[in-house]
Amino acid sequence: MTTLRLDGINKFYGAVQVLRNIDLDIAQGEFVSLLGPSGCGKTTTLRCIAGFETVDQGRIFFGSRDMTRAMPEHRDLGMVFQSYALFPHMTVTENLSFGLEVRKIPAADRARRIAAVLEMVRLTGYEKRFPRELSGGQQQRVALARALVIEPSVLLLDEPLANLDASLRDDMRFFIRDLQQRVGITTIYVTHDQSEAMVMSDRIVVMNRGVIEQCGRPREIYERPASQMVAGFIGQSNTVPGHVAGRENGAYLVKTAEGPIRSLGPDGLSGEVQVMIRPENITTDAGAGIPAANMLAGRVVKSVYQGNGCILGIESAGGTAFTTHVSADSPLGAGAAVTIGFDARQAWAIPA
Amino acid sequence: MSGGASSAIAARGGAQRPMWWLILPALVLLVCFLVLPYVSIVVMSFREASTRAVYGDGFTLEHYTSVIADPFIWGIVWRTLRTGLIVTVVTLLLGYPVAYHLARTRSRWASVLYIFVISPLLVGLVVRTFAWLIILSNGGVANNALKWAGLIDRPIQLLNTPVGVTIGLIHVFLPFVILPLLGNLQAINPEVAMAGRSLGASRMKTFFRVTLPLSMPGIQAGSILVFVLSISAYVTPAMLGGSQGRTMAVLVVQYLVDSFRWPAGAALAIFMAAITLSVIAVYLRLTARAMRRLP
């Protein structure tokens, strides 16, 4: 069942179009991330949903109700802001109570709901603190609690982890995801951090320059990117340019400077393409190579130790630069001859 | 703790010792031009009156007792405070929306509006008050406009009344309430008001429960500034007030300059300062209560 639907949203700032035909259906209980570089329109999209920006064309539905022109206070949303935006002159309890008082919830119910939510975000005992007396992570959880205590139909999160330390950020990812699963609330999460989107989301919407580049499950986005922008933005990738020469055993045969490469790709692909191979899918061997559908000869140009292994920079015979990961005790050092291999299902061809 | 560590702390403390002599020039200026004159006024207010010198040889409380016993002076005190209060409230009500708009707008006309806001300060006080003299006179722009609009048949007396003084003061002091408020409102995170809306509060409710409490420091600073400036203003009430609109400052100058009653004028000035200080003390206590929850 759809809880939220964006139907052909267009938005302009003066002459600049910041959102272009945004269509999106979000199901009940789904966790959807809007992911993209800064200026891609993800925060604008969120603010249109929240009602803080008006859309120039298109409609926004909550369930079956058209909420395109509704005031923010009538949309029944919980929102967590990047700056947390806690009320600095109110205690934790008063911050949480605000939305309940506006909804005219009786005092006894308010107290019960606030206590329950505070326990959920592990802040029991902090009721009387002011926001300035809390750490960044605690403020973040108060902001989350304040948005959840009103039991909104949709939870909106605007880069909520951007201002936290790296280690805390990793913990909070799982914390937020767990909480979302327990409460079962439909959630839209804006981030520019692809690994955040990857571990938290049911579905990722990759945006770029005001358009949706791709919308899919994290695995689909990572392994089957629809465009070069998506392939480049999500994780690391090696690309080899070429053109489709035909099909062989269900894979495309792509003619490249490295010779023919067997690669999967979307149906109906033809013409110029980029073959993408993720670094972790490349095998390296000092000898004749580990048997694979695609085998390329090359030379190691650099090897960088990074704790859990080494990153190898390899230049192939055809002049393409590849990056791959090997274990720290790999004998391959700079200058060594190497054979790299990958299977057709580990390569993905993208229209160039 | 080891000796090395504690000596390192001592050394750092030494390096950060405040350089007290930096305040010396300001201190000298303050003592010479503020404290000494004040002391001499206080001393003068207790001296006997004299017809031959500025004041006589003996000391007396007579000036204070006659000021306090004089209902005419209390009438002027009351009028001065009332004018100050009205000017403060009206400038706050007029200035708040302007400051709020300036703090939030992203329009390129913001700088033009800003210049409009400070425009009363760009023209000399006397010149500006002359303009009000022309506008507020019986045949002036204000009365003509009201007549044209059909609101009055005969000109209403604005000049030489407290109303004229109030209008003149509001114009002059509007920037003094807008500027502190603007700084305050700009420092408030705009997402806080958005959070109020997202939690279901209307624009109005969010304003009264979130933005307004957070802007109390600006309201306090602006209102104290305007109140103090209004009740001590001289040029505007002297030029627009006549005898009906006379304020304490005008009265003090009349004592000193027109009738040469220096000790009595000094006592009146001290009396006026005491009243101003007590009003501000009460106001600070009241506003401090409203701000005790702010960071």
Side-chain angles (χ1 to χ4, degrees), chain A residues 47 52 71-73 77 79 81-83 85-91 94 98-99 101-103 130 132 146, chain B residues 106 189 191-203 205-206 209-211 213-214 292-295:
Chain A
R47 290 191 170 196
F52 294 120
M71 289 286 185
E73 60 266 34
L77 301 167
M79 185 152 176
F81 295 84
Q82 188 173 354
S83 65
L86 297 175
F87 305 128
H89 57 306
M90 297 185 196
T91 61
E94 289 164 339
F98 186 92
E101 286 167 35
V102 171
R103 285 170 171 69
F130 283 95
R132 59 182 173 276
R146 184 178 65 177
Chain B
R106 279 172 288 176
N189 174 5
E191 287 193 339
V192 170
M194 290 163 76
R197 302 288 300 283
S198 80
L199 289 166
S202 64
R203 213 183 273 267
K205 187 152 202 146
T206 303
R209 288 210 45 193
V210 180
T211 311
L214 292 178
R292 69 190 190 282
R293 303 168 71 84
L294 296 183

Side-chain angles (χ1 to χ4, degrees), chain B residues 40-63:
Chain B
S40 85
I41 290 176
V42 170
V43 171
M44 194 195 291
S45 70
F46 289 106
R47 291 301 190 121
E48 284 177 340
S50 165
T51 48
R52 275 162 288 121
V54 170
Y55 47 77
D57 297 330
F59 287 88
T60 176
L61 285 172
E62 178 204 358
H63 308 301

Side-chain angles (χ1 to χ4, degrees), chain A residues 245-272:
Chain A
R247 297 196 63 120
E248 186 185 288
N249 298 334
Y252 288 104
L253 201 61
V254 181
K255 260 214 172 100
T256 74
E258 307 295 338
I261 290 182
R262 289 153 197 88
S263 166
L264 296 185
D267 291 340
L269 195 63
S270 65
E272 299 299 310

